[in-house]
Amino acid sequence: MDNVEVDLHRDRAIGVTDPRLFGAFIEHLGRCVYGGIFEPGHPSADAHGFRGDVLALVRELAPTIMRYPGGNFVSGYDWEDGVGPAASRPRRLDLAWLSTETNQFGTNEFIDWCRLADTEPMLAVNLGTRGADAARRLVEYCNHPGGTTLSDLRRAHGWKLPHGVKFWCLGNEMDGPWQMEAKTAQEYGRIATEAAKMMKWVDPAIELAACGSSGRNMPTFGAWEDTVLEHTFDQVEFISLHTYINNYAGDTAAFLASPDLMDRFIDEIVAIADAVAIRRGSSKRIMLSFDEWNVWYRTRRTPAARTKPGWPVAPEILEEIYNMEDALVFGGACISLLNHADRVKAGCLAQLVNVIAPIMTETGGPTWRQTIFHPFSHFSNLGRGRVLRARIKSPTYSASYFDPRGAQDLSFPLPEVPYLKLAAVHDEGAGALTLFALNRSLTEEMPLRVNAGGFSGLVVDQALQLHDTDLKAVNTKDHPDRVKPSALAGVRVEGNTLTATLLPASWNVIRVMVS
Ligand code: AHR
């Protein structure tokens, strides 16, 4: 491949990453909670039943905010079922995942777990089968200090101090027909506005995300955001967006190109949100909460992959096994998020454990890192700071990404996909510049040259790559480290120029100290 050139400058920044960009998601779904983060009786479990081995990996992964309790689950959830003495909590049918919910883990346990995992809680309220009243009551239960029936109930349950939950989601994917009590944009816009208003009356310090489209392939995409924001504009800080990338077509080149559609999705939502602001003559800017994103397809389309018969408790569903190429695409998605640091101010990898997750467990057994664990951990641990605008001169290829929409299948043409996808983050405090670089060529090494304008004294601090000659390689219980980062040799600096050679189909992280 010809030389690939990147020009960036210390003074040209896109924006500063918000700490909430590096979040993840825990849903009452399959073995994410039960057998995942919570398993009383497991050899590593503490007195609460929280698995210590999982917590250790979560700390290494370093998610900064955690969304809970769903997902589709939240649209049928009565939060009252999950608080109070565990022995008297009800067992319920969960219509989202056709399972039995035992409610042995609920809001208070989640808050305790977040404190241990050093992550901020993000709660979603049920705007499917419930509404504004249940939502404002949950805010009162969680955040009001005391002296009212609901806040004193929390205190009686053992949590004297308010939880102080700041970030709240107004429902989940309310545009999706699969959602319990799905709504039109008009219906949802009205309910979300009323819920938001009352929730903020209870606690004016909270921040709210309205549901955007559950995918760019939704037939209502665009019109949905426009209508919902017309209703909720004055009440919310965020609009959400969700993306699950697939390789149904078995076309690895197109799969690797597809994070570019996330860039497009973000730009489109920013345009719609800003158009709403402009129509209203408002200088307020709605930020984006990318609160579900990942690769997900193998355990997705057929009901048999999503549910198990007989209303089981914590069934093994959506246990996607991630391979090497998934990790590359996942890394591409991390780069897309970083490169929109000015507007995407929250993000949640969906999900955290067992269910389309970077961390796997065996119930009663060990835990291990899936391939996608590695790019996320790099993204979260090294991606904090000022994201610089990089001008990339790279050869390109063309691809067509296949994205199913119900019975109708869509193809999105991607005519000019640069082989290099890259984000550059300057951490001023640490005096470091980190490059996240994906070589999307399946066959050719990439000679990379980065001109880092405005920086001097470059010293290579870390250089890692994730690469495997077998793109289908996976990590398993018996081979947990089949795919793991290795040193990237041959990174050189001279003046403010850095050169490296990136292997075909590789994810690379290069951190240089700068002055
Ligand atoms: O993350 C799995 C599911 O995907 C979530 O419950 C839902 O919001 C989305 O459709």
Side-chain angles (χ1 to χ4, degrees), residues 25 27 29 71-72 97 172-173 178 244 292 296 350-351 356:
F25 174 31
E27 177 166 1
L29 194 182
N72 298 341
W97 304 106
N172 175 70
E173 294 191 348
W178 56 86
Y244 291 104
E292 286 186 34
W296 175 26
Q351 298 192 6
I356 46 174

Side-chain angles (χ1 to χ4, degrees), residues 270-285:
V270 167
I272 297 166
D274 290 355
V276 176
I278 291 159
R279 273 208 301 269
R280 303 165 75 90
S282 172
S283 59
K284 175 176 174 179
R285 288 296 174 263

Side-chain angles (χ1 to χ4, degrees), residues 301-457:
R301 277 193 105 178
T302 61
R306 285 187 273 112
T307 56
K308 296 256 186 271
W311 300 95
V313 173
E316 288 183 18
I317 52 174
L318 275 59
E319 298 204 359
E320 191 100 349
I321 304 303
Y322 291 105
N323 63 22
M324 177 64 211
E325 69 179 18
D326 296 330
L328 296 173
V329 172
F330 185 98
C334 294
I335 291 172
S336 295
L337 293 175
L338 288 170
N339 281 334
H340 290 90
D342 54 336
R343 295 302 291 267
V344 181
K345 293 293 180 188
C348 300
L349 154 61
Q351 298 192 6
L352 184 69
V353 187
N354 291 329
V355 171
I356 46 174
I359 299 172
M360 288 302 290
T361 72
E362 186 178 76
T363 303
T367 180
W368 63 98
R369 301 169 190 80
Q370 292 233 57
T371 60
I372 60 170
F373 183 101
H374 299 294
F376 189 91
S377 145
H378 299 149
F379 166 63
S380 180
N381 286 296
L382 299 171
R384 321 286 175 94
R386 302 167 62 241
V387 183
L388 302 180
R389 199 171 293 285
R391 200 176 306 129
I392 295 174
K393 273 187 251 144
S394 162
T396 61
Y397 67 102
S398 67
S400 181
Y401 175 64
F402 164 84
D403 204 4
R405 176 204 277 176
Q408 187 196 354
D409 291 332
L410 305 177
S411 276
F412 293 98
L414 289 156
E416 276 187 76
V417 182
Y419 281 108
L420 175 67
K421 191 167 174 81
L422 173 136
V425 183
H426 176 212
D427 179 343
E428 277 180 300
L433 175 66
T434 302
L435 306 172
F436 300 89
L438 179 65
N439 178 3
R440 299 193 265 203
S441 168
L442 298 176
T443 50
E444 291 187 55
E445 289 189 347
M446 176 182 287
L448 174 69
R449 184 186 173 88
V450 179
N451 305 306
F455 294 103
S456 57

